[in-house]
Amino acid sequence: NWEEKATIRLLTSHTTDAALNSAKFFNTYGMNYSAFLTASEDGSVRAWSSQDYEQIMQFQVYKYKCLSLDTHPTELKCVAGFDDGYIRFFDAIKQKNEGRCSPFGEDDPVSTVKF
């Protein structure tokens, strides 16, 4: 309400009809915050602050479901498996998709990944 000069807090989330398929603590050693990642059937991998549970980052792959994820043990990177048969690599520092590969052939869902 502009007249009252009130603030509205906008919250983010995965889409309401999408299942949450994976969650993992994100190693942020040496930084002054901690985070966790979630992977969902809406095709997104999202990073959340462990202090206030606000979304701090999102990687989106349209048209495909994210089935699994894992985090690098020492770097701010993660890997995610999708239902199109691709494993995608994400870099949290650069906030970008670093690449993808399809080790089992396209259209074979990647239900488990591990660094």
Side-chain angles (χ1 to χ4, degrees):
N1 184 332
W2 290 107
E3 291 177 12
E4 295 176 11
K5 297 183 180 166
T7 332
I8 297 173
R9 187 176 188 182
L10 299 176
L11 300 176
T12 57
S13 69
H14 292 281
T15 57
T16 56
D17 60 341
L20 188 66
N21 291 324
S22 187
K24 177 87 176 182
F25 181 74
F26 204 31
N27 179 354
T28 56
Y29 300 120
M31 306 188 124
N32 35 346
Y33 69 91
S34 61
F36 60 96
L37 298 177
T38 56
S40 173
E41 289 186 359
D42 64 5
S44 68
V45 174
R46 299 175 189 235
W48 308 86
S49 165
S50 297
Q51 284 79 26
D52 59 11
Y53 306 108
E54 294 284 336
Q55 180 178 311
I56 53 178
M57 188 180 314
Q58 175 180 338
F59 299 107
Q60 185 70 50
V61 177
Y62 295 102
K63 299 181 185 177
Y64 301 108
K65 298 175 183 178
C66 186
L67 304 176
S68 57
L69 69 88
D70 196 19
T71 58
H72 191 279
T74 59
E75 297 181 32
L76 292 174
K77 297 183 179 194
C78 72
V79 61
F82 288 80
D83 68 342
D84 65 345
Y86 281 92
I87 297 172
R88 290 174 173 85
F89 305 90
F90 301 104
D91 186 319
I93 299 293
K94 296 177 184 173
Q95 295 190 14
K96 69 179 235 178
N97 183 338
E98 293 279 283
R100 68 181 188 160
C101 68
S102 181
F104 308 111
E106 292 183 20
D107 299 323
D108 287 331
V110 181
S111 59
T112 305
V113 290
K114 184 76 176 155
F115 253 108

